[in-house]
Each structure stands twice: as C-alpha cells, then as structure tokens.
Amino acid sequence: MWHLGLAWLPVVIVALTAIMMTMSYTIAVLDGHVATLFPYISDTGGHPPESCFFSQLFNMVAILVLCGSYVRYKQLQCLDGAIPEVVYKLNKVGLFLGAVVAAGMSLVANFQDTTIIKALHFLGASLIFLPGVIYAALHTIISYKLYPEHNSQIVCTIRLMVTIVTIIAVFLSAILGILASYQWDPPDGDDDKFKWKPEDGGYIAHLISTFCEWILGLGFVCYYGTFFHDFRKVDLKMNMRLHVDPFPVINEETHSISSAWSTEPRYA
C-alpha cells in the first residue's frame, strides 16, 4: 500500500518557494522595480507590493525548512544501532545548520535590502547560502553512508550533483558580486542597483553573479525535493503529558484529592 507519511513536507517547501520566486519576480518586473534579466532574488522582494508576498511566503518556507530539518534529524536518530556512529554526529550538525538556514531565511524575509538595516539582510543571506551548501554536502555524505540499505544510488548521485553545483554557484555569486560592486560606476549618476544597466560598469560580473544566485536557490529547492522518498517512510506524533490535573476530585469527608485522569502520555 502506498504511504504518504511526511512526504508532503518537501513538496510544500518546493511549491511555496517556487510560488514565492515566481510571484515576486513577476510583480517586480511588471512594476519596473528591477531589471528583467536576472535580478538578485531578494531584489524582487525589495519594494511593495511584491515585498509583501515575498516576506509572507519566505517566512512560511523558513518555518517549514526548520520542521523538515527536525524531521530528517529524528528520522536518522530512529535508526539506532543500524547506522555508523559518524552519521549520528553529522546528523546533529545537520540539525544545527538547518536551524541556522531557517533563521537566515527569516532575516532575509523581514529585512529587505531597501531598508536602513541592510546589514541584517546580508547577514541573513550569508546564513542561508554558506550553511546551506554545508548542509547539502553533509547530508550527501550521510546518504552515501546509508547506501544501499536506506538510500538508492540515484538519490545519492542527484544529491552529490546538486551539492557540487551549489558550492560552485555560491562562490561565483559572492566573488563576482563583490567584483561587480567594485566596478559599478553609472555614467548618469543613477545609483539604483536594482536596475543595473550594461553601461554602468561591472555588468557582466553582476549578471553572472545574479544568475549563480538563481541557480543556488533552485539547487536548494531541488535538494529538499530529494527528501520526498525518505519522508514517505516516517510519521511524526506529538507526545503530550499534563503535569497538572485539570479535573481534580475532592473527597468532602477526608478532604483528600483524587483523580481519574491518566498521567500516561497521549498522542495526537
């Protein structure tokens, strides 16, 4: 029997990210807020009204990424004694990196690079990209450690290829972005970097940088999509225990308190 499990989680992450990127880019271009050809992803969410959609959807993605990182962590922890000891150590690091990436997403979502607190925006972007590629590399290593019992060869290969592409993309985007900013010198005095023109200087470096950022973003989306099959194998239940009796019964003769309320964990 086909079992969905928590496979819906990576599907929703991929779908929401795709909707966010498409919607914010389309609105930003139609409103003339960014250049049509490969603006930075965060630039497409820098001005209202597209910033409203960008922030709302990206915050939702950040929460889901945190949940997905936790689910992946718990899934591997459940394989107690069946996997190499190094996987447990890498798994703990992966949970931390997943939380860092989610925090970076929240910063980028709520502090656009058009605000006066640009440092928080760039901090958030750094927390997404660098820990993100390390997270991908780490779970690629884990995938090969779990092959062939828990991962197929094709999944391992896809994750390896995506990891290599994202590592190359993150360094090219950062290096060429810095180079483009150094070379930027608009002849007409227009300091709007959201609409970088060929005559402004550093245009080619800027274009490659933004293109690599889009590749990087799409790479992360594809990587989370590879957890679809893994998450099909698991369900998650909440273990809730009440430490205070909500329905105490007082014996009027002895003035003692008793209860029929069960202290055993209840699952939802």
Side-chain angles (χ1 to χ4, degrees), residues 90-104:
L90 293 176
N91 192 32
K92 293 178 181 179
V93 177
L95 178 61
F96 172 75
L97 291 174
V100 171
V101 170

Side-chain angles (χ1 to χ4, degrees), residues 54-212:
F54 181 87
S55 297
Q56 178 66 23
L57 292 174
F58 211 17
N59 277 319
M60 295 170 65
V61 171
I63 294 173
L64 292 174
V65 165
L66 180 60
C67 293
S69 300
Y70 180 73
V71 169
R72 180 61 172 169
Y73 167 79
K74 291 297 292 183
Q75 180 190 25
L76 296 180
Q77 289 295 105
C78 287
L79 300 175
D80 186 22
I83 55 178
E85 182 65 26
V86 66
V87 172
Y88 290 110
K89 297 178 181 179
L90 293 176
N91 192 32
K92 293 178 181 179
V93 177
L95 178 61
F96 172 75
L97 291 174
V100 171
V101 170
M105 288 179 172
S106 181
L107 286 175
V108 170
N110 296 292
F111 296 93
Q112 292 85 16
D113 52 0
T114 54
T115 64
I116 58 174
I117 318 179
K118 292 184 179 182
L120 288 178
H121 176 85
F122 294 120
L123 173 62
S126 300
L127 293 179
I128 294 174
F129 294 140
L130 188 56
V133 296
I134 298 175
Y135 181 90
L138 184 147
H139 273 281
T140 298
I141 295 172
I142 290 177
S143 300
Y144 276 99
K145 292 288 185 181
L146 300 182
Y147 171 79
E149 290 83 4
H150 302 284
N151 279 309
S152 65
Q153 180 63 54
I154 188 170
V155 169
C156 292
T157 302
I158 291 174
R159 287 176 182 168
L160 177 60
M161 292 176 62
V162 173
T163 299
I164 293 173
V165 170
T166 53
I167 290 174
I168 295 173
V170 72
F171 282 106
L172 284 178
S173 181
I175 294 172
L176 293 177
I178 295 173
L179 177 63
S181 295
Y182 178 77
Q183 295 177 342
W184 185 61
D185 185 23
D188 55 3
D190 185 6
D191 61 351
D192 187 2
K193 289 187 177 181
F194 283 73
K195 292 180 281 189
W196 204 304
K197 298 182 289 294
E199 61 271 16
D200 291 344
Y203 179 73
I204 298 299
H206 168 75
L207 204 60
I208 298 175
S209 174
T210 55
F211 175 77
C212 287

